[in-house]
Amino acid sequence: MDNCPLQVLTVPTAPYPDQRPGSSGLRKKVYVFQSRRHYLHNFIQSIFSSIDLRDRQGSTMVVGGDGRFFNQTAIEVIVQMAAANGVGRLIIGQHGIMSTPAVSCVIRKYKAIGGIILTASHNPGGPDGDFGIKFNTANGGPAQEAVTNKIFQISRTIEEFAICPALRVNLASLGKQMFDLENKFKPFTVEIVDSVESYANLLRNIFDFAALKELLSGENHIKIRLDGMHGVVGPYVRRIFCEELGSPANSAISCVPMEDFGGQHPDPNLTYAADLVDAMRDGQYDFGAAFDGDGDRNMILGKHGFFVTPSDSVAVIADNIFCIPYFQQTGVRGFARSMPTSAALDKVAKATKIELYETPTGWKYFGNLMDAGRLSLCGEESFGTGGDHIREKDGIWAVLAWLSILATRRQSVEDIVKDHWLKYGRNYFTRYDYEDVDLDVACEMMEDLEILMVDKSFVGQRFAVGDKIYQVEKADNFEYTDPIHSTISRNQVQVLCLCLSCMCGP
């Protein structure tokens, strides 16, 4: 600790009108954070100011990011502002790297009051890419709407921020670094931690690592290929799957985190993970998976590139949930899916007589149910799957869940999914991503669609597609009443639901 106390400054600033955080925080192009004076500082101060000083003073917070461009610059500012705002300790992943699931894990482990995650998830990185800031609360999950609204309201009227500009932290050195400040909040501690270990230890208590090691490196082991897409999961994949579970080092590809994700789009789907899909096609690998930039999303592939839709993935895990030792011990409290996700999970819930919840998009809705002890497993069609071990979707967890099923059933991915379809029927599901569309045109289309849907004559209409005829069973603009807090969410991301049934017979 330096004997000379570091100066804390109060800096005048002016608000910006566009800092409303969404379900995944505040996301903008990197140049917005770089070019607008105090844009980053304003939002970070708004986060700190949203926490009562009595709760903030001397508290512990967690900081981590997916390693994208501007990550370390932002961490330096966050550290300086946390010190000036009375936070007592920051826990930061080495080099500023920590996956979103790992941040949730560490918040819960250390009973922190929250954490700041620097990520734009599956969006492109680099100087011309995107940057994002997300605030997670003490349960380890994304902040509830009341909190994000408070942050936004503060950002609209902010006049000053507090900062300790001379404070410098070494992100490469594991251990504690202590700083003396000239204000009453002292000493200030920054603890640089191994980004993987706490999270890996949590997984060791959920899955049977001995069985998984036998599956991946035993006498009759399967061959896997895991694509980190140059995002944050690289160190996690190498440590857990290669070093601990014995899969060969060449099982892990694109596992060096890069600020621009190697110039690629770190989105684990058939389009952006095309290299993995191509590598799986010749049949030399039995199982494949890809992860997004911050490690919370996943895509599952079987031999010859057999694609498991996210909707089917969560349903298959649900139907085989007791292949995971954690659930043998805790039991299963409930299943949940987001509204856009297919009803494949509903059929498993009905057959097993386990409660099923349908929520808006956003992991915070799942978190409410988990905190109330009502939910054990959930998923979204946007390649997110997770359990109640943390309060975020979790790509590594989903892959270990699938491998646990393979280790128990000793069938291929394709056979397991096809058996599932024979047992429950198949829910067909299609998602289209419209990128870089004109906002006014998109809003006009959604308005026209809603007008069509509220017309009473729309339900029951039939549409011919090729030699098949489909009938509209249901059409609505989704509304959700939270069973825990009784809050009502309307017009969530303006998603309109159409349910069509085929009239062609079996």
Side-chain angles (χ1 to χ4, degrees):
M1 187 189 300
D2 197 325
N3 292 326
C4 181
L6 298 171
Q7 186 180 22
V8 175
L9 301 179
T10 300
V11 180
T13 190
Y16 291 94
D18 63 343
Q19 293 195 328
R20 180 188 291 275
S23 61
S24 298
L26 179 71
R27 292 184 185 175
K28 302 287 181 183
K29 290 293 184 183
V30 170
Y31 71 78
V32 173
F33 290 94
Q34 290 179 314
S35 62
R36 296 186 185 179
R37 181 174 173 79
H38 297 153
Y39 193 84
L40 171 65
H41 301 71
N42 280 19
F43 190 69
I44 297 302
Q45 183 62 59
S46 299
I47 291 175
F48 288 134
S49 296
S50 72
I51 307 169
D52 189 281
L53 180 59
R54 291 168 296 183
D55 297 325
R56 194 169 74 226
Q57 189 170 349
S59 66
T60 296
M61 293 188 69
V62 180
V63 178
D66 60 16
R68 67 178 57 233
F69 183 83
F70 201 65
N71 190 77
Q72 294 207 6
T73 300
I75 288 178
E76 182 175 277
V77 170
I78 290 168
V79 171
Q80 293 170 350
M81 293 185 66
N85 276 275
V87 174
R89 177 173 68 155
L90 283 185
I91 298 173
I92 307 176
Q94 190 176 25
H95 305 296
I97 295 283
M98 194 181 291
S99 74
T100 292
V103 171
S104 182
C105 166
V106 173
I107 290 173
R108 294 168 67 83
K109 175 181 177 179
Y110 289 95
K111 295 180 171 55
I113 64 166
I116 296 175
I117 306 176
L118 304 174
T119 179
S121 188
H122 54 296
N123 292 10
D128 298 321
D130 296 337
F131 188 76
I133 305 169
K134 185 171 77 163
F135 178 55
N136 281 28
T137 49
N139 73 339
Q144 298 294 317
E145 195 168 352
V147 176
T148 57
N149 283 342
K150 185 177 182 181
I151 293 170
F152 177 54
Q153 293 306 320
I154 293 170
S155 77
R156 294 178 64 190
T157 58
I158 190 171
E159 296 180 347
E160 61 186 25
F161 61 85
I163 191 167
C164 186
L167 197 158
R168 296 288 184 273
V169 67
N170 182 352
L171 294 176
S173 180
L174 291 173
K176 293 181 180 179
Q177 302 168 43
M178 301 182 71
F179 304 89
D180 193 10
L181 311 181
E182 67 175 9
N183 63 9
K184 61 184 177 181
F185 308 126
K186 58 183 182 181
F188 173 67
T189 303
V190 175
E191 186 172 352
I192 307 301
V193 299
D194 184 305
S195 303
V196 179
E197 188 52 36
S198 290
Y199 171 73
N201 192 53
L202 175 64
L203 296 179
R204 292 183 192 109
N205 292 318
I206 294 173
F207 300 99
D208 184 345
F209 269 38
L212 292 173
K213 186 170 185 177
E214 179 65 24
L215 177 74
L216 298 183
S217 57
E219 185 176 353
N220 297 309
H221 68 273
I222 65 170
K223 293 184 68 175
I224 66 173
R225 193 167 179 87
L226 305 178
D227 189 344
M229 302 192 82
H230 291 299
V232 75
V233 299
Y236 298 82
V237 168
R238 291 196 300 268
R239 180 88 65 86
I240 295 169
F241 293 94
C242 299
E243 294 177 19
E244 186 152 355
L245 298 180
S247 192
N250 61 9
S251 301
I253 60 171
S254 300
C255 279
V256 177
M258 294 185 178
E259 288 190 335
D260 66 348
F261 306 111
Q264 302 302 311
H265 198 137
D267 194 351
N269 58 39
L270 295 173
T271 299
Y272 294 115
D275 289 346
L276 175 66
V277 176
D278 290 342
M280 294 292 296
R281 282 198 175 118
D282 66 5
Q284 67 171 306
Y285 299 102
D286 302 290
F287 179 91
F291 308 91
D292 71 336
D294 67 324
D296 59 357
R297 298 175 190 238
N298 72 96
M299 178 179 70
I300 304 297
L301 298 174
K303 199 168 211 173
H304 302 296
F306 180 85
F307 173 58
V308 183
T309 70
S311 300
D312 279 343
S313 181
V314 68
V316 170
I317 294 172
D319 195 41
N320 294 275
I321 198 163
F322 294 114
C323 294
I324 302 169
Y326 174 84
F327 294 112
Q328 297 172 16
Q329 299 163 9
T330 65
V332 181
R333 301 177 181 92
F335 298 137
R337 62 170 177 82
S338 64
M339 182 277 291
T341 305
S342 88
L345 182 61
D346 304 40
K347 294 181 177 179
V348 179
K350 183 177 180 181
T352 56
K353 295 181 171 56
I354 292 173
E355 188 75 23
L356 186 283
Y357 300 92
E358 182 183 23
T359 74
T361 299
W363 219 257
K364 60 189 177 185
Y365 299 102
F366 295 144
N368 284 346
L369 295 165
M370 289 177 181
D371 288 345
R374 296 196 186 185
L375 178 59
S376 297
L377 172 71
C378 53
E380 294 184 331
E381 48 73 43
S382 55
F383 293 84
T385 320
D388 62 353
H389 61 299
I390 56 172
R391 296 298 181 266
E392 288 279 4
K393 57 178 83 79
D394 190 344
I396 296 283
W397 180 95
V399 169
L400 290 171
W402 263 96
L403 292 175
S404 298
I405 296 169
L406 295 182
T408 301
R409 294 184 52 167
R410 287 291 173 175
Q411 291 178 277
S412 70
V413 171
E414 183 172 356
D415 285 345
I416 289 169
V417 174
K418 287 184 174 178
D419 282 353
H420 186 87
W421 292 339
L422 287 172
K423 183 177 179 180
Y424 292 105
R426 184 175 182 182
N427 288 74
Y428 288 88
F429 176 82
T430 302
R431 168 182 170 148
Y432 294 99
D433 291 326
Y434 297 93
E435 300 177 357
D436 299 320
V437 297
D438 182 273
L439 180 60
D440 291 336
V441 173
C443 289
E444 184 178 348
M445 184 205 73
M446 294 301 290
E447 289 171 2
D448 289 345
L449 181 57
E450 186 155 19
I451 290 171
L452 173 69
M453 291 174 61
V454 297
D455 188 329
K456 293 181 180 179
S457 66
F458 184 60
V459 174
Q461 282 191 29
R462 298 185 180 189
F463 298 89
V465 180
D467 60 348
K468 292 182 172 60
I469 298 175
Y470 296 89
Q471 184 174 28
V472 178
E473 285 186 358
K474 176 185 176 184
D476 70 356
N477 196 333
F478 185 65
E479 180 177 300
Y480 176 70
T481 301
D482 191 298
I484 311 305
H485 303 300
S486 298
T487 54
I488 300 175
S489 302
R490 297 183 175 92
N491 301 319
Q492 286 296 300
V493 295
Q494 293 298 313
V495 175
L496 307 177
C497 178
L498 291 174
C499 294
L500 302 174
S501 59
C502 183
M503 306 298 293
C504 307

